[in-house]
Amino acid sequence: MYSESDIDGAVAAGVMPAATATAFRNHVAGGRNTPAVDEEHFRLLTGFNDIFVAIAIGLLLVALMQIGTTIANPIGGVLVAAASWGLAEYFTTRRRMALPSILLLLGFVGGVVAALGATIEMIAPHISDRAGAIAASGVALAAAGAAWVHWRRFMVPITIAALAVAVVAVVVALAIAAVPGVKEAIWPVLLVCGVAVFALAMRWDLSDRERTTRRADVAFWLHLAAAPMIAHPIFQMLGVFGNEIGLGVALIVLALYLVFAFVALAIDRRALLVSGLAYVLYAMFSVLRSAGTVELSAAFTGLIIGSALLTLSAFWHPMRRMVVGTLGDMGKRLPPVQTLAMA
């Protein structure tokens, strides 16, 4: 299986003419009776060997962490970060293996965080809440720096999302340090950060409307990071899962999910739908249970929501064409609703 990034790399290397690559994409899109952009491709596996190598990497990094922490807690993180970088030089740079590259990125950034966190804990085991928040912001800033350095060397698409999440962690930690009471009302802060990450994702997305380069893969992971930071704060502020929700709140949840569906169709990304799914399932379950169908409320909930999502998937393209059509000139800046063949 070849990803969009592989095809783009072949064009850049002169292995495949750009016209041939475009014709190939149009052929695949035509065979599937759907535009290439609507498939929302991202590279995760190139074969079963990816899984095999990922398991081996996981075992190795866990072992290094345990060995290092027996010497000193920070050493474990240092060993994991160093090993992750060294392995990436082979499995990412030379082998271009997707899943191992993702794990090695997480291992490198996670190792940096673990080493710094353990160092702070050793130096100041009884640190105050405010000082702890400041220290946490410093660790998150170091994680952002590690992600940036990793991106400059390996350019794994998920790295920008990791960088964005680290920056959000810096903002949240500094907000807690500046105003300790914000810890009790952290959801609005996360929502603002989520919207900012969403805007960054759209910037990457709109720079490659046809989704034929690595920029589209970067945008995919950014949308995946932004979606929970948008959906969870909104529904948590509504009190979903907190108490028994009433019919009014349940209807609001369902209405918000319809808004998410509209946005997802417009930008041709499904992350928001996935992030809000648990909340809409619970809302529908509560509505059916309040209506008296206690025994089968869970089954009816799965039937209704599952059928709705399958219908949305089956008719994604025509529904998206309708949604984009309602946006006027703004819709022309979004990913196209059809793939144009190259003359």
Side-chain angles (χ1 to χ4, degrees), residues 80-93 97-98 100-110 112 142-160 162-163:
V80 168
S84 296
W85 185 280
L87 291 171
E89 290 288 351
Y90 177 73
F91 290 108
T92 301
T93 303
M97 301 180 74
S101 296
I102 293 172
L103 291 181
L104 292 172
L105 161 71
L106 297 177
F108 177 68
V109 176
V112 171
W148 175 250
V149 171
H150 198 280
W151 168 257
R152 298 296 296 176
R153 177 68 183 98
F154 302 109
M155 300 190 77
V156 180
I158 195 177
T159 309
I160 300 298
L163 172 60

Side-chain angles (χ1 to χ4, degrees), residues 144 147 158-170 193 196-197 200 222 225 229:
I158 195 177
T159 309
I160 300 298
L163 172 60
V165 171
V167 172
V168 169
V170 172
C193 292
V197 176
L200 178 62
L222 281 169
M229 286 190 279

Side-chain angles (χ1 to χ4, degrees), residues 34-87:
T34 182
V37 292
D38 284 346
E39 293 300 302
E40 200 172 356
H41 293 290
F42 72 100
R43 188 180 179 189
L44 185 61
L45 294 174
T46 56
F48 188 77
N49 192 37
D50 279 44
I51 300 175
F52 181 78
V53 172
I55 293 173
I57 288 173
L59 292 172
L60 176 64
L61 295 183
V62 170
L64 287 174
M65 175 63 78
Q66 292 180 340
I67 293 171
T69 52
T70 58
I71 303 172
N73 285 341
I75 300 299
V78 172
L79 291 178
V80 168
S84 296
W85 185 280
L87 291 171

Side-chain angles (χ1 to χ4, degrees), residues 153-220:
R153 177 68 183 98
F154 302 109
M155 300 190 77
V156 180
I158 195 177
T159 309
I160 300 298
L163 172 60
V165 171
V167 172
V168 169
V170 172
V171 172
V172 171
L174 288 177
I176 294 174
V179 185
V182 79
K183 186 187 299 184
E184 306 301 325
I186 200 64
W187 296 118
V189 178
L190 283 177
L191 178 59
V192 172
C193 292
V195 172
V197 176
F198 178 82
L200 178 62
M202 289 304 302
R203 182 175 180 180
W204 281 85
D205 236 348
L206 297 182
S207 67
D208 179 21
R209 294 176 62 248
E210 299 289 342
R211 295 183 180 170
T212 59
T213 69
R214 181 186 283 114
R215 301 183 72 84
D217 295 335
V218 173
F220 168 83

Side-chain angles (χ1 to χ4, degrees), residues 19 30 35 89 97 113 173 178 206 254 287 299 340:
E89 290 288 351
M97 301 180 74
V113 171
L206 297 182
L254 294 175
V287 169
L340 299 177

Side-chain angles (χ1 to χ4, degrees), residues 122-313:
M122 287 179 60
I123 296 173
H126 305 294
I127 193 171
S128 64
D129 290 342
R130 174 167 290 184
I134 296 174
S137 68
V139 172
L141 185 61
W148 175 250
V149 171
H150 198 280
W151 168 257
R152 298 296 296 176
R153 177 68 183 98
F154 302 109
M155 300 190 77
V156 180
I158 195 177
T159 309
I160 300 298
L163 172 60
V165 171
V167 172
V168 169
V170 172
V171 172
V172 171
L174 288 177
I176 294 174
V179 185
V182 79
K183 186 187 299 184
E184 306 301 325
I186 200 64
W187 296 118
V189 178
L190 283 177
L191 178 59
V192 172
C193 292
V195 172
V197 176
F198 178 82
L200 178 62
M202 289 304 302
R203 182 175 180 180
W204 281 85
D205 236 348
L206 297 182
S207 67
D208 179 21
R209 294 176 62 248
E210 299 289 342
R211 295 183 180 170
T212 59
T213 69
R214 181 186 283 114
R215 301 183 72 84
D217 295 335
V218 173
F220 168 83
W221 291 108
L222 281 169
H223 279 294
L224 209 62
M229 286 190 279
I230 294 174
H232 296 334
I234 289 176
F235 292 123
Q236 288 294 333
M237 287 188 289
L238 285 173
V240 182
F241 293 155
N243 297 304
E244 187 73 19
I245 65 174
L247 179 61
V249 174
L251 292 177
I252 292 174
V253 171
L254 294 175
L256 284 171
Y257 198 70
L258 291 177
V259 173
F260 285 177
F262 183 90
V263 174
L265 285 165
I267 66 174
D268 201 16
R269 294 292 186 184
R270 298 160 178 80
L272 271 174
L273 293 175
V274 175
S275 293
L277 184 58
Y279 297 99
V280 75
L281 284 171
Y282 184 74
M284 180 65 71
F285 174 79
S286 298
V287 169
L288 292 176
R289 187 170 56 181
S290 64
T293 58
V294 177
E295 294 182 356
L296 294 176
S297 55
F300 282 135
T301 297
L303 178 64
I304 294 171
I305 301 300
S307 299
L309 292 179
L310 287 174
T311 301
L312 181 62
S313 177

